[in-house]
Amino acid sequence: FLARMGVGVGESTIAPCAHSLMADTLSSDQLSKGFAIYSLGAVIGGALAYIVGGPLIAWAATAFPSGVDIPLIGNIFSWQIVFVIVGLPGIVIALLFVLTVNEPRRSIGNASSESSISLKEVWAYLKSHRRAFLSIYGGIAILQIAAGGFSAWLPAMLERRFDIGPAEAPPYLVFSFILPGFASAIAAGWFGDRLLKSGVTDSHLRICAYSTLICILPFGLAPLLESPQLMTGFLAIGFFFAYMHIILCPAALQLISPPGMRSVIASLVMVSQILIGAGTGPIIVALITDFGFGDENLLHVSIVIVTLVCTSLAAIAFFIGRKPFGELIKARNVVAN
């Protein structure tokens, strides 16, 4: 429990710190590309989990059939050894980060510091520009319900519909949402910066709105197709466009946030994305399948329902936020900076 709590506390600091660091290090027309590179860590890590995880577990089961005795901890199972192996490099990378990355000069703009700004002031700023912020946070949360539910239940859907088990599933999963996520991050970062630099003040939410609209059709059709290969192709198209908001929404929030409020505003991204979005998506799909249809073989229909509703609502949220977001970008003179 303490180990998992420690991981959770550590991870909860990633978004506020990283988003604020990038906003203070990069110019406004490079910020989206910075977020794209940053997000590739999760994409590459997810791909490696599918590609390397299975073989590592098989190797550990053969090499340590009885587990391993660790001082002060005791005997751990072979599959737990894999967690130790993949976790150790993180300690090395953390030390490299501490020793080589310097704290950037904070773009506060006055004598105040980030710590001197109260939560009450942050709340007042969010409230005064609520149309822009609510559309971004709401769009993130709603879209992540669809994406989280889809990605969580995709392995089960492959097994129930096409009899593709865990051993055969990784290629389908990698081509469905891992590789499209990689390509989406690069495309969204480049396109968002380019559009903003050209003077399109609502650039980030404009891309989010239209990309979410485009992903509705492939997401709605994919689970209903009878071929796993064809389904994978449609999912790849859907996730390519759906994942653009993961890059552009956090970047958009940093662009319209005063420097002293960036960390708090970034932390709310995690609330929208994980607690509300990814945390409820899998549950909603399961509830519809178990209590709505009462048939686990209709899982794919539940996924279609959740995906179509959520992507449509998210697109509406992004369209509503375009104008107030663009006005705030213009008021803060972001393009010129």
Side-chain angles (χ1 to χ4, degrees):
F1 171 78
L2 291 174
R4 289 180 65 87
M5 186 175 70
V7 172
V9 171
E11 287 187 352
S12 69
T13 65
I14 292 173
C17 294
H19 293 192
S20 180
L21 282 168
M22 286 187 288
D24 280 320
T25 304
L26 302 170
S27 62
S28 57
D29 60 354
Q30 294 178 322
L31 190 57
S32 297
K33 287 193 283 288
F35 272 91
I37 295 169
Y38 163 73
S39 70
L40 290 180
V43 175
I44 294 170
L48 289 175
Y50 287 117
I51 296 169
V52 180
L56 270 178
I57 291 172
W59 167 80
T62 303
F64 308 100
S66 302
V68 174
D69 289 317
I70 297 179
L72 302 178
I73 295 176
N75 185 268
I76 65 172
F77 297 112
S78 59
W79 59 268
Q80 291 173 312
I81 297 170
V82 175
F83 283 104
V84 176
I85 294 171
V86 300
L88 286 174
I91 299 174
V92 178
I93 293 171
L95 289 172
L96 284 173
F97 185 88
V98 170
L99 296 173
T100 61
V101 178
N102 297 319
E103 186 80 6
R105 180 179 177 275
R106 294 301 184 180
S107 53
I108 300 297
N110 53 46
S112 66
S113 65
E114 184 134 354
S115 60
S116 68
I117 295 180
S118 66
L119 288 175
K120 186 177 180 180
E121 290 175 283
V122 177
W123 174 249
Y125 183 77
L126 292 173
K127 189 176 180 181
S128 63
H129 303 290
R130 55 186 173 273
R131 286 185 60 199
F133 283 102
L134 278 175
S135 66
I136 297 173
Y137 288 129
I140 292 173
I142 297 168
L143 199 50
Q144 278 300 117
I145 292 174
F150 218 136
S151 57
W153 286 106
L154 182 55
M157 185 174 68
L158 286 170
E159 188 164 13
R160 295 178 192 181
R161 293 205 69 208
F162 306 110
D163 198 28
I164 296 173
E168 300 83 20
Y172 293 96
L173 301 177
V174 169
F175 284 101
S176 291
F177 60 89
I178 298 295
L179 291 182
F182 190 96
S184 178
I186 297 172
W190 177 84
F191 195 30
D193 284 342
R194 187 176 181 84
L195 213 57
L196 182 65
K197 194 173 183 178
S198 68
V200 180
T201 53
D202 66 349
S203 56
H204 289 54
L205 258 63
R206 178 182 296 197
I207 298 170
C208 286
Y210 285 109
S211 62
T212 304
L213 204 60
I214 292 170
C215 78
I216 293 175
L217 183 60
F219 271 159
L221 290 175
L224 305 177
L225 298 173
E226 297 298 326
S227 164
Q229 292 80 14
L230 195 58
M231 183 189 74
T232 299
F234 272 75
L235 286 181
I237 297 170
F239 276 112
F240 173 81
F241 287 102
Y243 276 159
M244 288 190 171
H245 83 285
I246 294 178
I247 308 300
L248 295 172
C249 284
L253 288 168
Q254 292 300 305
L255 289 171
I256 61 175
S257 301
M261 301 181 182
R262 285 172 175 163
S263 296
V264 176
I265 287 174
S267 68
L268 295 175
V269 173
M270 305 305 291
V271 175
S272 302
Q273 199 172 56
I274 297 177
L275 186 63
I276 299 174
T280 59
I283 297 172
I284 293 172
V285 171
L287 288 173
I288 294 173
T289 304
D290 289 346
F291 299 105
F293 295 118
D295 184 355
E296 67 176 21
N297 291 318
L298 293 178
L299 172 66
H300 62 291
V301 181
S302 301
I303 291 174
V304 169
I305 292 171
V306 173
T307 304
L308 289 180
V309 171
C310 290
T311 48
S312 300
L313 291 175
I316 292 171
F318 289 137
F319 273 111
I320 291 173
R322 277 181 55 189
K323 184 177 179 181
F325 171 75
E327 291 172 349
L328 198 48
I329 286 284
K330 191 180 295 183
R332 292 181 56 79
N333 201 26
V334 169
V335 179
N337 294 331

